[in-house]
Amino acid sequence: MKIGITCYPTYGGSGVVATELGMELAARGHDVHFISYAPPVRLTANDRITFHEVEVSNYPLFDHAPYTLTLSVKMLEVAESARLDLLHVHYAIPHSVSALLARSMAAPRRLPFITTLHGTDITLVGNDRSFLPITRFSIEQSDGVTCISNYLKKKTIEVFDIKRPIEVIPNFVNCDVYCRKDDPALRAQWAPNGEPILMHLSNFRPVKRVPDVLEIFDLVRSKMPAKLVLMGDGPDRGAVEWAIRRKGLTKDVFLLGKQDRVYEKLGVADLFLLPSDLEAFGLAALEAMACEVPVIGTTAGGMPDVVEHGVDGYLVEPRDVASAGRFAVEILSRADRGREMGRRAREDARRRFCAEDVIPHYEAYYRRVLEAAVSACA
Ligand code: GMT
C-alpha cells in the first residue's frame, strides 16, 4: 500500500507511535509518506519512506499562519503525486480536519483517511469547548477511526457521543530494539558506586507530574543512595530544574533533555517512574517494560491495561507520592525482586504489545477501510 502519515513531529507519544508505525510498515514493504512541518524526530531514512515538508507561508495579514489549510493542500499534492491509497492521521486536531479537506478536494478520486486518537486530543484539547464540535465532526467523517486503548475508546464515545465504530489497536514496541542492555560504562557514568538508577521519560507537560517524580525520588533518596535520570523536555522543565536545586539533588539527578535512541538508556534502568495524572496508554511505560524495567505508574486512564499491578511494577492513585515512594524503596532495596519484576514486565510487553503482532492489525484495518471506500463508490 501507499500510505500518507501525518503526526506531530516533535517529542510526544502520538508522533512516536506514528513514526514507529511508518517505519514498521516500510519494513513490511509498504511505501510510506510522512507529511508534516518537520521530519519526525525518531524517523530513520529508508528508500520506502519519504518526508514531505509542509511550509506555512507567513503572509503579513496572518496573525496565525493557517497550518491546517496548508497541510490539507500538501496532503492532496502528495496523494496525487505518490498515488496514495489512504491518509492516516495521528492526533485529531488539526490533522483530521486537514485530511477531511484533502479528501473533499481530491473527489472524485477516492482518498480515504483514518484518524488515530491518542489521548490529550480527546481528554484535554478535544474536550475544550472551542474544539469539541470540530473534533467530533472530523471523527464522524473519518473513513476509519482507531484508538490506542479501550479506556480512550470509552472516553471518546462518552465525551463526543460518537456513533460510528471505533477500532482499538494498542500501542506497540519493537521488542528487538527495546531490550535489556548491560552497558557498565553508561551505568558507571550515572551511578559510579553501583547505586540503583530510576528513570523518567516524557514531554514534561503538567499532566506528566514530573515534579512528583522528583518527590518520589527524594523519598527514595532519604532511605538509600540512588540516582535519577530524566529524559525529555517541555513546559515543566524550569520548575523541575528549580526543584532539583532546592532539594539539593544536583549530584543525584541527570537531566538529559530530548533523546533520540531512548532504548539505549532505558536498558540500564532499575525502575521507571510515570506518575501521570492521566495516560490514555503510557507508551513510555511500555518501552521501559520491554527493556526489563519495572514501572511505578498510576491507576488513571489506560495504564492499568499496560502495567499489571504487583507483576510488572506497581500502580498508585495519581499524586499519591508517598505510596509510590514506598513501592520504589521496596523494589530497589531487593535487587532480586526488581530484576524478577523486570523480566515479567518484558514477558508481558512481548506477549501483548510487540510490533510484529500489532502492525498486522493496522494492515488489516487499512484493507477494510479501502474495501469499504471502494464499495461505497460502486
Ligand atoms: O501528552 C502526551 O503524552 C502526548 C500525547 C500525544 O498524543 O502526543 O500522548 C498520548 O499518546 C501516547 C501515544 O499513543 C500515549 O501513550 C499517551 O498515554 C497519551 N498521553 C496522554 O493520554 C496524556
Side-chain angles (χ1 to χ4, degrees), residues 31 42 57 99 156 175 193 199 316 319 357:
D31 289 325
R42 284 203 195 173
S57 70
T156 305
C175 299
N193 302 311
M199 237 177 240
V316 300
R319 306 188 183 201
D357 300 319

Side-chain angles (χ1 to χ4, degrees), residues 126 142 147 203 209 225 262 356 374:
S142 301
C147 265
N203 47 26
R209 304 287 305 169
V262 294
E356 62 192 47
V374 170

Side-chain angles (χ1 to χ4, degrees), residues 8 10-18 90-91 116-121 123-124 148-149 151-152 171 202-203 205 207-208 274 276-285 302-303:
Y8 283 107
T10 48
Y11 292 78
S14 59
V16 168
V17 170
H90 294 257
Y91 210 90
T116 289
L117 307 171
H118 282 270
T120 49
D121 46 352
T123 54
L124 295 178
I148 47 82
S149 66
Y151 160 80
L152 192 60
N171 285 337
S202 77
N203 47 26
R205 288 195 213 151
V207 69
K208 303 292 177 181
L274 193 62
S276 313
D277 266 340
L278 183 65
E279 288 290 344
F281 185 92
L283 180 66
M303 234 197 290

